Amino acid sequence: MTIGKLIYSTNSRSYGFLLEDGKAAKEQYTANCKNSDLKINSLPSSNEKLNSLLCALQLGSGRIMSSVTNHKYFRFTFNTKHSEWAHSCYQQLQSYVPDFLIKKEQTKDTRSKFSFTERVVIESTPCATAEALYSAWYQNASKGIPLEFVEQYMTAQTLAWWYQECGHLKVKENGTLEKLILSTEQWTEDELRLLQYVINIKFNFLFAIDGQRRLILYDQLQIKYFLGMVAPWIHPVFSYKIKNVEVRKPVAKRTTIRLSKQISIPSPTEEINQMIQQYASSIKVTTENFQKFNYARQENNESKRYQVNLTEENRDIICSVRASTGLTLGEIVQECFHQQNCFSPRPLQTLDDLSTTQQNIMIGSIIGDGMLTHMPTKSKGIRSTYSEHFSIKQKDYRAWKVMKLEPYLSFTQKGNVISSRVDDLWSNLEANFYSDKAQGKSRVKLLPKNQIFNLNDLHGLATIYMDDGSLLLTTRVNHNYKKIYITPHIALYLQSFTFDELTLLKGQIKELTDAKFFLTKLPDGNGYYLRTSRTTDTLLFLHDIEHVAVTCPSMSYKTNWHYRFYIEKQRWHCEYPDYQLITSSRKRMRAYTPNEIKTLKSMKQSGNTDQQIADALGRSYWSVVYKVSELRAQKLL
C-alpha cells in the first residue's frame, strides 16, 4: 500500500546543525537538501546530483532488479522505523526521476507474532537510468563496486546518505566518541580497498578495515570532522548518529609535551605558554587544514619532550580546543609553533632545521626531480634556491610537497613550478649535490655518500619513487585457461647517477625496506637503473611505503596496487571479457610432472610443433618453448 502523508516527530533532539524543535529540524533538513549553494556539495547538474544519491543507496542495500521482460528498475528497502527518512529519500529521488513509487510491503515471517514483517520500499518503474547503471554496478551479474562511478559521483551528501543507512556511532558512557563504523560486509576485501581509496582521495579520511570487513574510524579528529561534514544531510530521525558532545577533559598543570626536534625552545614553560596564549584559541579543523592535520599523523618525526607548567588560562584554552577538534595536546602546541613559523619563518641553515619527514622529502626530491640553483641577492651575495618544474597533471603531488614543507616551499605565479626562498641550507646542499661547472660543460648532479645516509625515513624513498619511478607491468595471456598473468615491477630510473652511486643508494634502500632492488642496464643516461625483479618484492615495497602513499592519493596509480590492479582488470576486461586477471608469482608457476615431460619429449621427437604440445599439455606456448630449451641444455632432449 502507498504511504500517505508522514508527520515528523516533534520531540527529536538536535546535534550539530539540528534544532531542538522537531518541526524546525525538519525544515532545516529540507532546506539543506534543496540548497545547491552548500560549499561542500556544489554539483553542476541534476544528473550528477541524482547519481550521487543513487551511489549512496547502491553502496548500502539498494538493488537494480530485472523485470519479467528483463528491463531494469531500482529497488530500495527501509525499516518501518525509518519511514520518515524513506519518504524524504523518495521525494528527493522523484524530483529527478518521476518514475519512483513508495509503498509498504508485508513479508511472511513465522517468527513474528503477527506472522509477517513490514518494510518500506522505494521502487521505480523500468527506466533508462537503471538500465545505464546496471552495466556499471553488475558487471558479472552480481553487485560490485564500479570505481569510476563512485569516484566521480561520491559527494558529502552521498557519504551522509550512506552513513544513515549503514553507519553506526559508538559513544562511551562519558560522551567520548569511541569509533565510527560503516557496515560494508557485503563487499569483498579488494572492493573495501577501493572504497578506502575513494573516501581518501575525495575527503582525506583514512578508514581502517576491521576483522568483520567494516570501514572504521577510531580517532577523535577524523570522527568529529566526519560528523561535521555529513551533518547538513542527516535526517532528524538519525540525529543520534551525529551526537557530537564536546567532552572537556582537564589538562594537568604540569605536563609533558612532545614536539618535533627542529623546534628549539630554550625556556619551555615560558615560550610554550606564550605560543598557546597567542595562537591556540584560533585553531579550528576546517576543509582547508583537515588534510594537513590528518596526514601528519602518518609521520614519525624525531622529537623532544618538554616538561612545562601551563597557566590556568592556557589549560582552559587547550581543553576547549581539544574537545572541539579532536587534536591532542602535542598537536595543538605543534600547530601554534607552526603558525608562528608561517608568520615569521625560521632561516634554514642545515637539515636539522627541518623535521625528519621534511628532511627526507627534500633529499628525495633533490635526488629525483628537484633542482638547486644559485642566484645573486642584494644583501647576502650569491645564494641558492630549490625549484621543481612539473607537468600540470602532477600538480596535486606537488601540492602535497608544498603542504609538507610549508612555509619553505610554494607555487610560483606560473603554476607549474614550486620553489623556495633563498636560504643557506640550499647553498650547502647545492655544493654537495652538484659538481663544479667546467668550462664548456654543464654541471653534473651527484649522489654524495653523506647525503645518502640522510635518507633514513620511508618518506624519502617514497618521494624518489613518486618523482622518478614507475610501476611497470608485464602481462602474459594464457588462452587455454583464459587467464591473464600480470607481473608488476618497481623501477627507479635516476638516470643522471652512475653505477657506483646507484650501488650506494641500493645499499641505503636496503636499510629502509626488505624489498630487493637490482641494478639493470638501460640504454639511456649513465646506463643503469634500479628495479625489482619479483612480484613479492614489488608488493612488499608498495606495502612498506603505504603509510606515506596514502597521504598523497593522487599518485595511487603507481603506489596503490589494489587501485592499479582494478584499473588493469577493467582495461583487459574490454578485450577479453571472459578471462581472469591474476597477479603472477613464482608460486603459480606450475612445475612439469614426470608424465608431462615424457609426453613433451615424445611429441617433440615425433615432429609436433610447440603449439601442438602446448595444447596437449594445457600450457602456454612460451612455457613449452622454455621447457624444451631447458631439457636440451640438460641434454635430456
Side-chain angles (χ1 to χ4, degrees), residues 37-293:
D37 296 326
L38 280 170
K39 184 177 180 181
I40 55 179
N41 188 38
S42 55
L43 290 166
S45 71
S46 59
N47 282 340
E48 290 193 9
K49 181 67 177 291
L50 172 63
N51 283 337
S52 73
L53 302 182
L54 293 174
C55 178
L57 295 170
Q58 285 294 113
L59 287 171
S61 60
R63 293 288 184 270
I64 301 176
M65 313 290 288
S66 295
S67 66
V68 177
T69 57
N70 202 32
H71 290 94
K72 310 303 179 190
Y73 64 94
F74 294 106
R75 180 179 172 84
F76 310 121
T77 59
F78 301 82
N79 192 303
T80 51
K81 293 188 299 184
H82 305 144
S83 295
E84 297 175 12
W85 161 239
H87 197 269
S88 175
C89 292
Y90 163 69
Q91 289 175 328
Q92 293 182 64
L93 291 171
Q94 197 182 40
S95 65
Y96 300 104
V97 180
D99 300 326
F100 281 102
L101 301 173
I102 186 168
K103 58 186 178 180
K104 276 187 178 178
E105 283 187 352
Q106 293 181 352
T107 306
K108 288 184 179 180
D109 188 351
T110 55
R111 296 169 298 177
S112 171
K113 64 179 180 179
F114 301 108
S115 299
F116 67 88
T117 55
E118 278 191 338
R119 57 186 172 187
V120 181
V121 177
I122 298 177
E123 201 170 88
S124 74
T125 57
C127 60
T129 305
E131 294 282 353
L133 294 190
Y134 184 85
S135 60
W137 286 87
Y138 295 83
Q139 284 192 5
N140 299 313
S142 60
K143 189 176 174 184
I145 296 288
L147 179 63
E148 296 87 349
F149 181 89
V150 176
E151 185 174 356
Q152 181 177 355
Y153 294 110
M154 180 177 278
T155 64
Q157 187 174 5
T158 307
L159 212 55
W161 275 37
W162 184 23
Y163 174 60
Q164 286 173 102
E165 180 183 357
C166 301
H168 172 62
L169 181 65
K170 189 170 183 180
V171 184
K172 295 181 179 179
E173 289 184 1
N174 66 353
T176 302
L177 304 176
E178 185 174 352
K179 55 186 172 182
L180 186 146
I181 302 167
L182 287 173
S183 297
T184 49
E185 297 91 335
Q186 64 174 311
W187 306 113
T188 66
E189 188 73 25
D190 289 337
E191 288 170 331
L192 290 180
R193 295 285 187 175
L194 296 178
L195 288 173
Q196 279 183 312
Y197 157 77
V198 173
I199 298 173
N200 182 17
I201 199 168
K202 299 286 284 190
F203 310 109
N204 308 129
F205 289 112
L206 299 177
F207 274 85
I209 301 174
D210 72 355
Q212 300 177 53
R213 296 217 313 272
R214 302 177 302 178
L215 294 177
I216 296 191
L217 296 178
Y218 290 104
D219 61 286
Q220 297 281 307
L221 170 64
Q222 293 195 88
I223 295 174
K224 286 178 178 291
Y225 185 75
F226 182 98
L227 296 179
M229 188 180 73
V230 302
W233 295 282
I234 298 297
H235 191 277
V237 167
F238 294 110
S239 61
Y240 64 92
K241 290 193 176 187
I242 54 170
K243 185 177 181 180
N244 186 6
V245 178
E246 293 187 3
V247 180
R248 295 171 63 92
K249 295 181 180 179
V251 179
K253 179 179 179 180
R254 183 165 180 79
T255 186
T256 301
I257 297 175
R258 177 185 289 182
L259 300 173
S260 295
K261 69 176 180 62
Q262 82 275 13
I263 300 175
S264 179
I265 310 176
S267 305
T269 293
E270 179 184 349
E271 292 187 42
I272 288 176
N273 272 294
Q274 183 180 351
M275 286 294 167
I276 293 172
Q277 189 173 12
Q278 188 170 355
Y279 295 104
S281 58
S282 65
I283 295 176
K284 292 178 175 58
V285 177
T286 65
T287 53
E288 285 74 29
N289 63 21
F290 170 71
Q291 180 188 50
K292 180 191 72 173
F293 285 130

Side-chain angles (χ1 to χ4, degrees), residues 397-410:
Y397 169 48
R398 266 56 189 198
W400 174 79
K401 287 189 180 183
V402 170
M403 176 183 70
K404 291 292 187 182
L405 270 296
E406 188 184 24
Y408 301 111
L409 293 185
S410 59

Side-chain angles (χ1 to χ4, degrees), residues 469-485:
S470 292
L471 180 56
L472 305 176
L473 302 177
T474 57
T475 54
R476 179 171 62 87
V477 181
N478 186 325
H479 295 289
N480 293 324
Y481 289 95
K482 293 188 174 182
K483 291 182 179 179
I484 303 169
Y485 296 94

Side-chain angles (χ1 to χ4, degrees), residues 470-474 486-491 513-518 520 529-543 561 583-589:
S470 292
L471 180 56
L472 305 176
L473 302 177
T474 57
I486 183 168
T487 307
H489 303 279
I490 300 295
T513 175
D514 289 331
K516 294 180 181 178
F517 282 82
F518 297 90
T520 307
Y529 74 109
L530 290 168
R531 164 186 168 126
T532 59
S533 63
R534 298 189 307 163
T535 299
T536 304
D537 289 318
T538 299
L539 300 184
L540 177 59
F541 174 81
L542 295 178
H543 175 268
W561 177 241
T583 305
S584 64
S585 69
R586 292 189 176 183
K587 293 180 180 179
R588 290 197 175 95
M589 301 301 288

